[in-house]
Amino acid sequence: MKRIGVLTSGGDAPGMNAAIRAVVRKGIYNNLEMYGIKYGFQGLMQGHIEKMDIGSVGDIIQRGGTILFSARSDDFKTEEGQQKAIEQLKKYGIDGLVIIGGDGSFRGAQALTAKGFPCIGIPGTIDNDINGTDFTIGFDTALNTIIEAIDKIRDTATSHERTYIIEVMGRDAGDLALWAGLAGGAESILIPEKKEDFDNIVNRLKRGHERGKKHSIILLAEGVGSGFDYGDRIQEETKLETRVTVLGYIQRGGSPTATDRVLASRLGAKAIELLMEGKAGIMVGIEHNQLVSYPISEILQKESTVNEEMYRLSKELSI
Ligand code: ATP
């Protein structure tokens, strides 16, 4: 293996830059030539490929977003699109690819690997919805952004004795809502993996109000439904003034936390090691603070699960 390319794909996540930096520097440390591919798979098909040196990744470890930009590409899902991508890789003499993204991006990695082109995946998404790793790059930063918002909303919720529903991202996964709910002391946490009886939510709010609680916070994962619909229903049932805040894209931006930077650096370096060992179609991850790697085919088969102990605890602490 002599030349390695790196790209970011799907939704961006804070810490992707730290991962790009680690991939490029670890490669150069091992005398490999490194190439950055811009705009994900779309840019790969169109040949947006540039050689990277040590300086190309300087001053980015602290920056959110991705210097390689990201894109979603339906063309790449076709046979023709994938052939175009392989032609570009051949043109530049690239023999291996590191793909930083979510499960969609890993399907792309798997498609190229199946065509004989070695790819390694690094989990980069704020959603924390990838199997085979305890954490994805960007999750910790997004979580901290949410906590900052909850603490601020709490001040105004107390002043006005209101119920606040805070809708957070996560696609079909509830991790952001669960962790933020636990860390932010929410009364109820609504996530797609668990069905919560609407009466329970209402009763908990009423009980809290009766014992003199000045405010209530409900964390809602976007995968459950619209915060505004829940807000209307809750206000109607409880007769308590209810407000809704949809945090939206603020959760995707910002400087990555130290935890995300360290995770990104470790995973980036590990991806290069695996390519040098001749591995392909593998995702790197972290479990119990140890680096791990699994075949992407295995990762994509399993359903994403929620931490049962944490979910139970969130209920016990919000009585
Ligand atoms: P996030 O979870 O943050 O949204 P993601 O990687 O899951 O990230 P997607 O939009 O699902 O984001 O996928 C990114 C890109 O990967 C797609 O736009 C497409 O180019 C490629 N891709 C997705 N599925 C496939 C597939 N089955 N075969 C080939 N390529 C795919």
Side-chain angles (χ1 to χ4, degrees):
M1 192 128 317
K2 277 207 165 64
R3 292 183 176 181
I4 292 179
V6 55
L7 63 80
T8 48
S9 165
D12 68 322
M16 277 183 165
N17 279 329
I20 296 167
R21 173 181 177 272
V23 167
V24 170
R25 295 248 167 116
K26 176 85 176 183
I28 293 173
Y29 180 82
N30 286 287
N31 301 316
L32 298 169
E33 278 183 35
M34 301 304 298
Y35 288 81
I37 297 153
K38 289 190 172 158
Y39 312 108
F41 292 120
Q42 187 67 31
L44 173 58
M45 290 185 304
Q46 293 167 351
H48 292 290
I49 301 174
E50 281 167 25
K51 188 150 188 245
M52 295 184 99
D53 57 27
I54 300 174
S56 320
V57 290
D59 200 24
I60 65 166
I61 196 167
Q62 79 286 14
R63 279 205 256 153
T66 158
I67 58 159
L68 292 177
F69 307 105
S70 192
R72 300 193 197 267
S73 166
D74 283 333
D75 289 348
F76 182 73
K77 291 184 184 170
T78 65
E79 177 65 32
E80 206 189 338
Q82 288 162 22
Q83 283 306 337
K84 267 193 209 161
I86 288 184
E87 276 162 32
Q88 291 291 348
L89 290 164
K90 278 192 184 146
K91 191 170 133 192
Y92 284 83
I94 295 171
D95 349 86
L97 203 54
V98 176
I99 290 160
I100 308 167
D103 55 351
S105 305
F106 293 165
R107 282 179 214 286
Q110 205 184 15
L112 287 180
T113 303
K115 289 189 159 48
F117 193 87
C119 295
I120 301 288
I122 298 181
T125 163
I126 65 165
D127 301 338
N128 209 34
D129 60 348
I130 311 275
N131 289 301
T133 188
D134 291 342
F135 299 107
T136 56
I137 296 168
F139 173 69
D140 187 66
T141 306
L143 179 59
N144 279 286
T145 301
I146 297 170
I147 292 303
E148 215 184 306
I150 294 178
D151 290 349
K152 286 180 175 156
I153 287 170
R154 204 180 250 278
D155 290 343
T156 175
T158 308
S159 306
H160 290 277
E161 303 195 18
R162 282 175 183 153
T163 300
Y164 266 86
I165 296 179
I166 303 174
E167 184 186 312
V168 298
M169 284 184 165
R171 282 209 184 183
D172 299 326
D175 269 28
L176 273 177
L178 177 58
W179 283 68
L182 200 49
E187 270 60 50
S188 288
I189 301 172
L190 309 181
I191 55 175
E193 294 89 342
K194 296 279 178 188
K195 246 199 145 31
E196 171 83 281
D197 196 14
F198 190 72
D199 290 344
N200 279 346
I201 305 169
V202 169
N203 290 338
R204 199 172 304 134
L205 288 171
K206 282 184 177 164
R207 264 202 322 271
H209 186 69
E210 277 157 21
R211 76 168 168 85
K213 254 181 89 71
K214 297 281 182 239
H215 64 261
S216 294
I217 304 270
I218 297 175
L219 255 286
L220 176 83
E222 64 179 348
V224 173
S226 153
F228 291 102
D229 292 346
Y230 271 87
D232 289 345
R233 283 173 68 195
I234 284 172
Q235 178 154 313
E236 205 177 298
E237 290 285 327
T238 60
K239 307 289 179 233
L240 299 170
E241 203 179 350
T242 305
R243 292 281 190 274
V244 180
T245 298
V246 180
L247 290 185
Y249 284 95
I250 193 172
Q251 296 161 91
R252 289 253 283 260
S255 179
T257 58
T259 299
D260 270 331
R261 296 181 203 190
V262 171
L263 177 65
S265 302
R266 293 175 76 189
L267 295 182
K270 180 73 180 171
I272 292 293
E273 282 173 16
L274 291 181
L275 276 176
M276 288 172 62
E277 285 167 20
K279 302 266 170 53
I282 303 277
M283 185 197 81
V284 292
I286 191 154
E287 282 179 342
H288 313 296
N289 202 23
Q290 298 294 317
L291 293 173
V292 291
S293 56
Y294 294 105
I296 289 176
S297 53
E298 234 175 72
I299 301 292
L300 294 175
Q301 265 169 25
K302 286 192 218 149
E303 287 239 329
S304 178
T305 53
V306 77
N307 186 318
E308 295 289 338
E309 174 264 324
M310 279 179 58
Y311 186 71
R312 220 171 32 245
L313 179 62
S314 74
K315 296 235 173 250
E316 289 167 0
L317 300 186
S318 61
I319 37 174

